[in-house]
């Protein structure tokens, strides 16, 4: 690994980063391939358990509600480090943690306890269209990860107004999970769309729906930005190491300027992503988080694609682990909203304030 | 023949490629009708076979990377895609415009499934050196067998093997080959050569009955001794021990080839000793990188067509296409596709003006119109495979195919290759960003296209290498295709 020399953090975060990095290296890295190939494996639950013991399963929930009570930046640090070894696992953790955010507004300790018990993980479903009609959920939630038997799913119904934050359980009558074992990226957790045909909510937030929704979204966008940075870092590390050992055109390829340019661009991308995240964590607003997400995920996609390119044909093959980064990075860019929808929301957020 | 005889396919092609219409109007009706017919067959393949099956096969390949679906090749037989590079006189389906035909075929097939298209295209890539080297001594036997197999729906395929584990970019450019670290070596022995070493990432290498293989006769002088061989499945010591699990274009295998003391007879040198870089590589790249641009374009079209369908589908009461963000991008995407087509067509048309001359040359027409028993009779066959026979064929080829033409063709090919593949990658990537986390069949297709497109920036020389080629040919004039004299002394020391 090469350390980026100008990157400095306060002691608090540096300690946190180093713990997360150790966790990723010792617990995640050895099983990363296995997690990718088998959803719901014993290895996955072992890592989840360990993550739980480190407070990563209720990271944003205040201590009084039984959580870890860390700030969003700390969660970003942890997710970034996990994503270096397994973006899929980091995404699973993020969707779980984001799903717990409304519970802070609900002040529901028992739900926090139940959801963060470690198995199954909770999840957040932001895509698709779901409505609450006469106390029944109808519609379809798409792009839902972590979908296992009995998993609590956080939904944001579009109507009626005032009922924006609802939970359902994935095995409730009226919920049908259509699983897809081969999503493009984030293979670690089980991927599905949920068809809701009159399912009863498990829990509804009565107050602060708007705030809870915005906070959840903010956590999601920041988290995805952090995962993107993790992917970009791993892409850089792998490509840099490969470029220093691959010999082509009479020299090791890192001596070809075309390769150096791609590597340098990766460094810029990583730094841009990190800076945007740090900035976005300083203000409790959604727009900067959206900006950080766009920056970081675009850069991660570019970095992973360049990483594959630097590996030549080897980059295209599963065994080398580079193509996985390219697939994972793409989902960071496409989720939880399309690029332009994200972009337009930035303007809307500003307009709302004017 | 009238426009209307070309049917819907002709109508579409004339609209997408006005240059074809111009050629038609100026009298090249036969050649154009052949192109239209190829595309019509490709459309049928796409509709009846590729679209209903591609996603399922893609998944299956992920679970069973070793699996190969021979039905792809049987279907290819049915539509006569396996003989697309084989002259008509030998029973093949190559038209008057061979390179254009191949490019249009690739564009159309890849808009269905680029993995299947690669399985078919890699075979033609394997056939190409056999044709362009003028190795007539093998034409009737091997090309005849391919044509016969095609007729009987019992596919016989070829592959093209130049990449080695530690030399990918290096084998594609003379300057780099000189300093390459090679694995495979062909040692001259009595009556032939003994090959030892490995090739990797060879598309279709695990299925091919015949493989055209480039190897150095002396690893310390690779450029000077680079030679093309015809290796046959069943030759002792030749095997394909493994295939890769690829990110995309999965329907075709990328295989490792292992050579353990494989004896290859003298007659199986395609061209002659030491002409491998010019004849075995640069000539092939000049004719095939354009079609790779067409592959990328087909993949982009696949993404585009599914994206368009998605955009026009009403969901939650709205059609995405009613939004500016979609409309602006759709127009951009179409622009990229048409830009690509301009690039690969320039290459294809230049290619056909060069190769067309040889195929139309009286001596070639005469030779090809002889009954096959004349060419295959032992005396004639021995002559064609002998030094003198090869020198004669070489002289004919050189008369019609000039080094500077191939150099120019190489430039257009490399330009088409990197531009089309970069556009394809960008189109697929942007389309996915626009779709976002939408759950639709169309998204799965665009995701596949995104995975598939990446390969087009890597194979047939990475896009970096292809950019260097354009520099070296056009701006610096340091890269010139120079076919060495036949049987130059000192190739084998
Ligand atoms: C799926 C697949 C199918 C294939 N099919 C075939 C086939 O049928 N037959 C066949 O022979 N080959 C085939 N190939 C091989 C393909 O052509 C090579 O992968 C390609 O040429 C790149 O070589 P490489 O993988 O060794 O990468 P390398 O040459 O090692 O390149 C690594 C990186 O270094 C860069 N680089 C290398 N040299 C230079 C330089 N001098 N200046 C600047 N940058 C440089 C490259 O651009 C790349 O980014 C296939 C490959 C794949 C992935």
């Amino acid at each position: 690994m090469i350390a980026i020399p100008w990157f400095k953090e306060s002691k608090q975060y540096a300690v946190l980063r180093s713990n997360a990095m150790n966790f990723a290296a010792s617990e995640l890295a050895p099983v990363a391939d296995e997690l990718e190939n088998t959803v719901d494996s014993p290895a996955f639950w072992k890592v989840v358990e360990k993550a739980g013991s480190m407070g990563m399963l209720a990271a944003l929930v205040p201590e009084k509600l039984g959580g870890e009570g860390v700030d969003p930046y700390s969660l970003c640090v942890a997710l970034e480090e996990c994503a270096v070894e397994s973006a899929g696992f980091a995404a699973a953790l993020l969707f779980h943690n984001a799903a717990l955010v409304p519970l802070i507004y609900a002040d529901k300790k028992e739900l926090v306890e139940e959801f963060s018990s470690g198995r199954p993980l909770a999840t957040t479903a932001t895509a698709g269209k779901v409505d609450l009609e006469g106390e029944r959920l109808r519609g379809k939630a798409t792009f839902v990860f972590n979908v296992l038997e009995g998993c609590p799913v956080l939904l944001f119904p579009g109507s009626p107004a005032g009922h924006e934050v609802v939970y359902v359980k994935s095995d409730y009558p009226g919920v049908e999970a259509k699983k897809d074992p081969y999503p493009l990226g984030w293979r670690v957790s089980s991927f599905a769309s949920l068809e809701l045909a009159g399912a009863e909510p498990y829990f509804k937030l009565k107050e602060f729906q708007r705030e809870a929704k915005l906070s959840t979204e903010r956590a999601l966008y920041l988290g995805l930005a952090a995962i993107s940075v993790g992917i970009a870092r791993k892409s850089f590390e792998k490509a840099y190491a490969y470029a220093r050992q691959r010999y082509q055109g009479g020299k090791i390829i890192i001596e070809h300027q075309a390769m150096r340019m791609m590597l340098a661009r990766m460094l810029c991308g990583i730094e841009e992503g990190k800076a945007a995240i740090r900035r976005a964590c300083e203000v409790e607003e959604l727009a900067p988080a959206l900006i950080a997400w766009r920056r970081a995920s675009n850069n991660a996609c570019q970095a992973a694609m360049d990483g594959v390119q630097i590996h030549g044909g080897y980059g295209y093959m599963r065994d080398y682990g580079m193509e996985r980064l390219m697939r994972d990075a793409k989902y960071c860019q496409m989720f939880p909203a399309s690029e332009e929808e994200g972009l337009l929301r930035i303007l809307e957020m500003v307009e709302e304030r004017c | 023949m009238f426009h209307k005889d070309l049917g819907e396919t002709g109508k579409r092609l004339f609209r997408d490629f006005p240059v074809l219409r111009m050629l038609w109007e100026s009298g090249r009706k036969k050649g154009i009708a052949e192109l239209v017919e190829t595309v019509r067959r490709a459309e049928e393949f796409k509709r009846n076979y590729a679209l209903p099956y591609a996603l399922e096969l893609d998944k299956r390949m992920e679970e069973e990377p070793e699996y190969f679906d021979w039905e792809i090749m049987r279907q290819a037989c049915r539509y006569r895609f396996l003989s697309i590079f084989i002259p008509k006189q030998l029973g093949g389906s190559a038209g008057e415009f061979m390179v254009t035909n191949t490019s249009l075929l690739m564009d159309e097939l890849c808009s269905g499934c680029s993995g299947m298209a690669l399985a078919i295209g890699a075979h033609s890539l394997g056939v190409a050196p056999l044709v362009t080297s003028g190795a007539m001594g093998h034409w009737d036997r091997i090309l005849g067998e391919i044509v016969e197999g095609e007729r009987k729906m019992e596919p016989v395929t070829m592959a093209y093997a130049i990449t080695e584990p530690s030399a990918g970019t290096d084998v594609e450019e003379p300057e780099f080959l000189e300093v390459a670290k090679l694995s495979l070596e062909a040692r001259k022995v009595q009556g032939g050569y003994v090959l030892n070493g490995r090739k990797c990432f060879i598309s279709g290498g695990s299925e091919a009955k015949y493989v055209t293989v480039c190897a150095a006769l002396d690893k310390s002088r690779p450029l000077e001794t680079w030679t093309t061989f015809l290796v046959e499945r069943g030759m002792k010591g030749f095997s394909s021990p493994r295939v890769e699990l690829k990110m995309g274009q999965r329907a075709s295998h990328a295989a490792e080839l292992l050579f353990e003391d494989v004896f290859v007879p003298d007659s199986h040198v395609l061209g002659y000793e030491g002409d491998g870089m010019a004849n075995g590589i640069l000539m092939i790249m000049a004719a095939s990188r354009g079609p790779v641009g067409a592959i990328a374009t087909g993949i982009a079209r696949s993404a585009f067509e599914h994206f368009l369908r998605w955009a026009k589908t009403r969901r939650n009461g709205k059609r995405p296409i009613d939004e500016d963000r979609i409309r602006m991008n759709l127009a951009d995407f179409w622009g990229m596709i048409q830009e690509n087509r301009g690039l690969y067509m320039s290459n294809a048309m230049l290619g056909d003006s060069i190769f067309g001359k040889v195929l139309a040359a009286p001596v070639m027409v005469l030779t090809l119109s002889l009954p096959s028993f004349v060419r295959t009779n032992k005396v004639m066959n021995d002559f064609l495979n002998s030094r003198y026979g090869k020198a004669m064929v070489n002289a004919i080829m050189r008369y019609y195919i000039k080094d500077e033409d191939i150099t120019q063709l190489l430039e257009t090919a490399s330009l088409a290759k990197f531009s089309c593949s970069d556009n394809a990658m960008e189109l697929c990537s942007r389309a996915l960003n626009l779709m976002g986390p939408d759950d639709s069949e169309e998204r799965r297709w665009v995701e596949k296209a995104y995975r598939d497109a990446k390969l087009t920036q890597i194979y047939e020389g990475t896009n970096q290498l292809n950019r260097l080629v354009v520099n070296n040919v056009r701006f610096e004039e340091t890269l010139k295709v120079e076919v060495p004299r036949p049987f130059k002394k000192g190739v084998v020391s």
Side-chain angles (χ1 to χ4, degrees), chain B residues 213-243:
Chain B
V213 178
C214 289
L217 303 181
D218 177 352
K219 282 202 268 190
S220 65
R221 294 183 301 136
L223 182 58
E224 253 176 283
T225 67
W226 198 241
T227 303
T228 314
F229 297 93
L230 175 68
V231 174
E232 307 196 7
R233 176 102 21 212
M235 282 180 167
K236 197 160 165 275
F238 171 52
S239 62
S240 38
R242 64 184 282 269
V243 295

Tab-separated table of all heavy atoms in Angstrom, chain B residues 213-243:
chain	number	residue	atom	x	y	z
B	213	VAL	N	-0.756	-19.045	-35.344
B	213	VAL	CA	0.058	-18.714	-34.176
B	213	VAL	C	1.316	-17.978	-34.629
B	213	VAL	O	1.996	-18.438	-35.543
B	213	VAL	CB	0.507	-20.026	-33.467
B	213	VAL	CG1	1.391	-19.724	-32.274
B	213	VAL	CG2	-0.695	-20.869	-33.059
B	214	CYS	N	1.608	-16.851	-33.985
B	214	CYS	CA	2.864	-16.183	-34.300
B	214	CYS	C	3.904	-16.532	-33.242
B	214	CYS	O	3.598	-16.550	-32.052
B	214	CYS	CB	2.675	-14.668	-34.326
B	214	CYS	SG	1.735	-14.135	-35.751
B	215	ALA	N	5.104	-16.808	-33.693
B	215	ALA	CA	6.157	-17.150	-32.736
B	215	ALA	C	7.511	-16.715	-33.277
B	215	ALA	O	7.715	-16.629	-34.493
B	215	ALA	CB	6.168	-18.649	-32.481
B	216	ALA	N	8.437	-16.471	-32.335
B	216	ALA	CA	9.801	-16.126	-32.738
B	216	ALA	C	10.585	-17.418	-32.962
B	216	ALA	O	10.398	-18.402	-32.250
B	216	ALA	CB	10.460	-15.313	-31.646
B	217	LEU	N	11.454	-17.376	-33.964
B	217	LEU	CA	12.334	-18.529	-34.170
B	217	LEU	C	13.548	-18.398	-33.253
B	217	LEU	O	14.212	-19.368	-32.943
B	217	LEU	CB	12.794	-18.591	-35.620
B	217	LEU	CG	11.680	-18.663	-36.671
B	217	LEU	CD1	12.279	-18.749	-38.072
B	217	LEU	CD2	10.770	-19.843	-36.410
B	218	ASP	N	13.787	-17.150	-32.869
B	218	ASP	CA	14.907	-16.905	-31.960
B	218	ASP	C	14.460	-15.777	-31.026
B	218	ASP	O	14.254	-14.647	-31.467
B	218	ASP	CB	16.133	-16.489	-32.793
B	218	ASP	CG	17.327	-16.144	-31.915
B	218	ASP	OD1	17.146	-16.073	-30.670
B	218	ASP	OD2	18.422	-15.936	-32.472
B	219	LYS	N	14.278	-16.130	-29.765
B	219	LYS	CA	13.713	-15.149	-28.828
B	219	LYS	C	14.613	-13.938	-28.610
B	219	LYS	O	14.165	-12.903	-28.128
B	219	LYS	CB	13.410	-15.818	-27.489
B	219	LYS	CG	12.129	-16.637	-27.518
B	219	LYS	CD	11.566	-16.849	-26.137
B	219	LYS	CE	12.089	-18.147	-25.560
B	219	LYS	NZ	11.389	-18.518	-24.312
B	220	SER	N	15.887	-14.081	-28.955
B	220	SER	CA	16.749	-12.912	-28.773
B	220	SER	C	16.660	-11.969	-29.983
B	220	SER	O	17.154	-10.858	-29.949
B	220	SER	CB	18.195	-13.349	-28.528
B	220	SER	OG	18.674	-13.987	-29.683
B	221	ARG	N	16.032	-12.440	-31.074
B	221	ARG	CA	15.834	-11.572	-32.248
B	221	ARG	C	14.377	-11.708	-32.725
B	221	ARG	O	14.108	-12.134	-33.856
B	221	ARG	CB	16.778	-11.989	-33.389
B	221	ARG	CG	18.262	-11.785	-33.094
B	221	ARG	CD	19.098	-12.169	-34.311
B	221	ARG	NE	18.875	-13.561	-34.678
B	221	ARG	CZ	18.702	-14.007	-35.931
B	221	ARG	NH1	18.716	-13.168	-36.951
B	221	ARG	NH2	18.518	-15.282	-36.180
B	222	PRO	N	13.443	-11.356	-31.829
B	222	PRO	CA	12.044	-11.683	-32.146
B	222	PRO	C	11.517	-11.018	-33.405
B	222	PRO	O	10.820	-11.654	-34.198
B	222	PRO	CB	11.273	-11.215	-30.913
B	222	PRO	CG	12.189	-10.406	-30.096
B	222	PRO	CD	13.592	-10.697	-30.527
B	223	LEU	N	11.838	-9.760	-33.617
B	223	LEU	CA	11.248	-9.062	-34.751
B	223	LEU	C	11.693	-9.682	-36.068
B	223	LEU	O	10.900	-9.941	-36.971
B	223	LEU	CB	11.598	-7.575	-34.690
B	223	LEU	CG	11.013	-6.712	-35.800
B	223	LEU	CD1	9.497	-6.796	-35.834
B	223	LEU	CD2	11.436	-5.253	-35.650
B	224	GLU	N	12.973	-9.942	-36.140
B	224	GLU	CA	13.531	-10.497	-37.374
B	224	GLU	C	13.022	-11.905	-37.661
B	224	GLU	O	12.933	-12.319	-38.807
B	224	GLU	CB	15.044	-10.628	-37.179
B	224	GLU	CG	15.887	-9.652	-37.922
B	224	GLU	CD	17.320	-9.901	-37.498
B	224	GLU	OE1	17.674	-9.466	-36.373
B	224	GLU	OE2	18.045	-10.561	-38.257
B	225	THR	N	12.730	-12.637	-36.596
B	225	THR	CA	12.410	-14.059	-36.794
B	225	THR	C	10.941	-14.377	-36.544
B	225	THR	O	10.554	-15.529	-36.440
B	225	THR	CB	13.274	-14.945	-35.860
B	225	THR	OG1	12.881	-14.707	-34.491
B	225	THR	CG2	14.746	-14.665	-36.015
B	226	TRP	N	10.134	-13.366	-36.417
B	226	TRP	CA	8.707	-13.566	-36.099
B	226	TRP	C	8.015	-14.233	-37.282
B	226	TRP	O	8.098	-13.744	-38.409
B	226	TRP	CB	8.111	-12.197	-35.788
B	226	TRP	CG	6.821	-12.155	-35.043
B	226	TRP	CD1	5.651	-11.624	-35.501
B	226	TRP	CD2	6.562	-12.586	-33.710
B	226	TRP	NE1	4.680	-11.710	-34.521
B	226	TRP	CE2	5.219	-12.300	-33.424
B	226	TRP	CE3	7.332	-13.215	-32.721
B	226	TRP	CZ2	4.621	-12.607	-32.188
B	226	TRP	CZ3	6.729	-13.511	-31.498
B	226	TRP	CH2	5.405	-13.205	-31.243
B	227	THR	N	7.339	-15.327	-37.019
B	227	THR	CA	6.819	-16.160	-38.101
B	227	THR	C	5.417	-16.665	-37.751
B	227	THR	O	5.134	-16.909	-36.582
B	227	THR	CB	7.783	-17.367	-38.311
B	227	THR	OG1	9.085	-16.838	-38.592
B	227	THR	CG2	7.346	-18.269	-39.440
B	228	THR	N	4.587	-16.800	-38.773
B	228	THR	CA	3.215	-17.270	-38.522
B	228	THR	C	3.092	-18.745	-38.875
B	228	THR	O	3.497	-19.161	-39.976
B	228	THR	CB	2.226	-16.461	-39.386
B	228	THR	OG1	2.558	-15.080	-39.290
B	228	THR	CG2	0.801	-16.667	-38.932
B	229	PHE	N	2.521	-19.505	-37.953
B	229	PHE	CA	2.347	-20.948	-38.166
B	229	PHE	C	0.872	-21.316	-38.144
B	229	PHE	O	0.062	-20.659	-37.494
B	229	PHE	CB	3.044	-21.739	-37.047
B	229	PHE	CG	4.527	-21.548	-37.000
B	229	PHE	CD1	5.088	-20.565	-36.189
B	229	PHE	CD2	5.363	-22.350	-37.766
B	229	PHE	CE1	6.460	-20.382	-36.148
B	229	PHE	CE2	6.742	-22.173	-37.726
B	229	PHE	CZ	7.290	-21.176	-36.915
B	230	LEU	N	0.606	-22.394	-38.814
B	230	LEU	CA	-0.736	-22.965	-38.745
B	230	LEU	C	-0.642	-24.193	-37.847
B	230	LEU	O	0.067	-25.150	-38.156
B	230	LEU	CB	-1.173	-23.369	-40.153
B	230	LEU	CG	-2.496	-24.086	-40.250
B	230	LEU	CD1	-3.644	-23.146	-39.885
B	230	LEU	CD2	-2.714	-24.604	-41.676
B	231	VAL	N	-1.321	-24.129	-36.709
B	231	VAL	CA	-1.268	-25.252	-35.770
B	231	VAL	C	-2.630	-25.934	-35.768
B	231	VAL	O	-3.659	-25.259	-35.805
B	231	VAL	CB	-0.887	-24.742	-34.361
B	231	VAL	CG1	-0.961	-25.868	-33.337
B	231	VAL	CG2	0.515	-24.138	-34.388
B	232	GLU	N	-2.600	-27.247	-35.745
B	232	GLU	CA	-3.869	-27.977	-35.828
B	232	GLU	C	-4.149	-28.713	-34.536
B	232	GLU	O	-3.233	-29.248	-33.902
B	232	GLU	CB	-3.806	-28.992	-36.978
B	232	GLU	CG	-3.403	-28.350	-38.288
B	232	GLU	CD	-3.701	-29.224	-39.498
B	232	GLU	OE1	-4.341	-30.282	-39.334
B	232	GLU	OE2	-3.281	-28.825	-40.602
B	233	ARG	N	-5.404	-28.694	-34.138
B	233	ARG	CA	-5.803	-29.476	-32.966
B	233	ARG	C	-5.446	-30.921	-33.249
B	233	ARG	O	-5.609	-31.386	-34.375
B	233	ARG	CB	-7.308	-29.302	-32.745
B	233	ARG	CG	-7.898	-30.084	-31.659
B	233	ARG	CD	-8.182	-29.351	-30.360
B	233	ARG	NE	-8.296	-27.905	-30.437
B	233	ARG	CZ	-7.920	-27.113	-29.425
B	233	ARG	NH1	-7.386	-27.602	-28.330
B	233	ARG	NH2	-8.063	-25.821	-29.525
B	234	GLY	N	-4.912	-31.595	-32.266
B	234	GLY	CA	-4.518	-32.986	-32.509
B	234	GLY	C	-3.017	-33.101	-32.723
B	234	GLY	O	-2.470	-34.197	-32.643
B	235	MET	N	-2.351	-31.973	-33.012
B	235	MET	CA	-0.893	-32.060	-33.108
B	235	MET	C	-0.379	-32.382	-31.712
B	235	MET	O	-0.835	-31.782	-30.726
B	235	MET	CB	-0.296	-30.728	-33.575
B	235	MET	CG	-0.433	-30.504	-35.066
B	235	MET	SD	0.314	-28.909	-35.533
B	235	MET	CE	0.385	-29.069	-37.308
B	236	LYS	N	0.535	-33.310	-31.632
B	236	LYS	CA	0.993	-33.779	-30.333
B	236	LYS	C	1.622	-32.633	-29.532
B	236	LYS	O	2.420	-31.870	-30.059
B	236	LYS	CB	2.021	-34.894	-30.544
B	236	LYS	CG	2.260	-35.720	-29.325
B	236	LYS	CD	2.880	-37.070	-29.697
B	236	LYS	CE	3.433	-37.722	-28.449
B	236	LYS	NZ	4.758	-37.313	-28.093
B	237	GLY	N	1.208	-32.501	-28.276
B	237	GLY	CA	1.803	-31.491	-27.399
B	237	GLY	C	1.056	-30.164	-27.397
B	237	GLY	O	1.392	-29.261	-26.639
B	238	PHE	N	0.030	-30.050	-28.247
B	238	PHE	CA	-0.738	-28.792	-28.305
B	238	PHE	C	-2.033	-28.950	-27.509
B	238	PHE	O	-2.803	-29.863	-27.757
B	238	PHE	CB	-1.050	-28.452	-29.768
B	238	PHE	CG	-2.007	-27.300	-29.926
B	238	PHE	CD1	-1.760	-26.088	-29.289
B	238	PHE	CD2	-3.148	-27.419	-30.708
B	238	PHE	CE1	-2.646	-25.017	-29.430
B	238	PHE	CE2	-4.038	-26.360	-30.858
B	238	PHE	CZ	-3.776	-25.158	-30.207
B	239	SER	N	-2.248	-28.052	-26.550
B	239	SER	CA	-3.478	-28.160	-25.748
B	239	SER	C	-3.949	-26.779	-25.299
B	239	SER	O	-3.219	-25.794	-25.411
B	239	SER	CB	-3.224	-29.027	-24.509
B	239	SER	OG	-2.230	-28.418	-23.704
B	240	SER	N	-5.177	-26.752	-24.795
B	240	SER	CA	-5.679	-25.496	-24.216
B	240	SER	C	-6.128	-25.803	-22.785
B	240	SER	O	-7.268	-26.193	-22.573
B	240	SER	CB	-6.820	-24.923	-25.053
B	240	SER	OG	-7.642	-25.949	-25.551
B	241	PRO	N	-5.205	-25.644	-21.834
B	241	PRO	CA	-5.481	-26.122	-20.476
B	241	PRO	C	-6.538	-25.345	-19.705
B	241	PRO	O	-7.173	-25.904	-18.828
B	241	PRO	CB	-4.123	-26.016	-19.769
B	241	PRO	CG	-3.288	-25.124	-20.603
B	241	PRO	CD	-3.841	-25.149	-21.991
B	242	ARG	N	-6.721	-24.061	-20.008
B	242	ARG	CA	-7.729	-23.355	-19.196
B	242	ARG	C	-8.360	-22.192	-19.946
B	242	ARG	O	-7.800	-21.684	-20.920
B	242	ARG	CB	-7.120	-22.854	-17.886
B	242	ARG	CG	-6.035	-21.810	-18.024
B	242	ARG	CD	-5.464	-21.482	-16.657
B	242	ARG	NE	-6.317	-20.601	-15.888
B	242	ARG	CZ	-6.229	-19.265	-15.901
B	242	ARG	NH1	-5.334	-18.677	-16.661
B	242	ARG	NH2	-7.026	-18.525	-15.174
B	243	VAL	N	-9.544	-21.807	-19.444
B	243	VAL	CA	-10.190	-20.601	-19.981
B	243	VAL	C	-10.420	-19.635	-18.821
B	243	VAL	O	-10.443	-20.042	-17.664
B	243	VAL	CB	-11.537	-20.912	-20.676
B	243	VAL	CG1	-11.327	-21.765	-21.900
B	243	VAL	CG2	-12.528	-21.551	-19.721
